[in-house]
Amino acid sequence: TLTAEEKERIRSTVQRAEQQTRAEIVPMIVPRSGFYRDAQHWAGLVGAVMVLTVLLTCEALWLPWGWHAANAAWLVCATILAYGIGSRCGTLGPVIHLLTSQERMLHKVRLRAEQGFARHAIGQTRERTGELILLSVLERQIYVLPDHPMAQQIPTERWSQVVQVAVERLKAHDIVGGLCEGIEQCGRLLAEVCPARPGDNPDELPNQVLQER
């Protein structure tokens, strides 16, 4: 949750950036862009296999006393318990990063950005100059989604270069600083292709950061 000071810092950064350009910058923060249930499954499976392997390896210690049905019951219960614990661990950020490719995470972030762009009507500006800057905390990614006319004027590579510095700050756990850096960098880039017109630069979209669960 952002503090009032952090929200004001982001709002002020957007306001300054928009003074240079006719584009409308909309920042958005989400805790995560996907649930990655397959990571939970794989973590549970790894935990179950490890526990089962250890128990079967120790089977030799049980043989002198004979094999009983209780042994099989303990194996099954321990394996199920290990799967449950592993699945729970699979919801943790470090485990998700370990078991999920960067490409899949970026795909999830892109889909979340597209949903947010449509939900908040960012494409409804007068000159189609809206731009969403999405920060997804779990994935440690910043994704810039400009309206179609802006995307045609600026190559994808330029957007990637712009947000790279911001992503580095995000990876250092500076969430607000990373988002503000991304806003500033995007403002400079947009000023090159869509500069502000004196006396004709209406503020069509809110400058406050959007927060979704």
Side-chain angles (χ1 to χ4, degrees):
T1 303
L2 298 177
T3 65
E5 290 77 12
E6 289 172 332
K7 292 179 181 178
E8 176 58 25
R9 179 184 173 189
I10 295 171
R11 189 200 66 79
S12 299
T13 304
V14 172
Q15 188 176 40
R16 288 194 303 272
E18 289 185 349
Q19 290 174 353
Q20 313 170 59
T21 175
R22 300 193 308 278
E24 292 293 313
I25 299 173
V26 179
M28 180 174 170
I29 296 179
V30 296
R32 61 195 301 159
S33 293
F35 290 102
Y36 306 102
R37 291 186 177 88
D38 53 334
Q40 299 177 37
H41 168 71
W42 283 111
L45 188 61
V46 168
V49 170
M50 289 177 61
V51 167
L52 183 60
T53 300
V54 170
L55 292 178
L56 290 177
T57 301
C58 296
E59 180 185 351
L61 300 177
W62 305 341
L63 289 180
W65 292 277
W67 179 264
H68 302 286
N71 300 131
W74 276 111
L75 280 175
V76 172
C77 290
T79 301
I80 293 174
L81 180 61
Y83 179 87
I85 294 174
S87 296
R88 184 66 177 173
C89 292
T91 63
L92 301 177
V95 179
I96 291 175
H97 276 272
L98 181 64
L99 298 176
T100 308
S101 68
Q102 283 296 111
E103 291 76 14
R104 183 155 187 266
M105 284 191 174
L106 185 57
H107 175 69
K108 290 288 189 179
V109 174
R110 181 171 63 250
L111 290 179
R112 187 66 185 268
E114 291 172 353
Q115 292 169 2
F117 193 94
R119 183 181 302 116
H120 297 285
I122 297 174
Q124 301 302 313
T125 59
R126 183 181 62 180
E127 299 184 53
R128 300 283 304 278
T129 55
E131 175 188 81
L132 176 68
I133 301 179
L134 173 69
L135 186 155
S136 192
V137 178
L138 172 66
E139 290 82 0
R140 298 196 289 269
Q141 291 286 344
I142 293 178
Y143 190 83
V144 179
L145 182 60
D147 207 337
H148 188 62
M150 304 299 297
Q152 289 182 320
Q153 295 183 60
I154 303 175
T156 304
E157 295 75 18
R158 293 288 308 275
W159 294 118
S160 300
Q161 294 169 4
V162 159
V163 302
Q164 187 56 44
V165 176
V167 169
E168 292 303 320
R169 293 186 64 173
L170 182 58
K171 290 180 178 179
H173 306 290
D174 184 5
I175 295 175
V176 175
L179 181 57
C180 288
E181 181 71 26
I183 294 169
E184 292 172 354
Q185 295 285 346
C186 287
R188 297 189 189 101
L189 179 57
L190 291 166
E192 297 177 15
V193 298
C194 186
R197 287 193 294 257
D200 185 22
N201 189 19
D203 195 1
E204 300 179 73
L205 296 175
N207 295 333
Q208 288 80 9
V209 60
L210 302 175
Q211 292 181 270
E212 292 186 354
R213 301 306 300 171

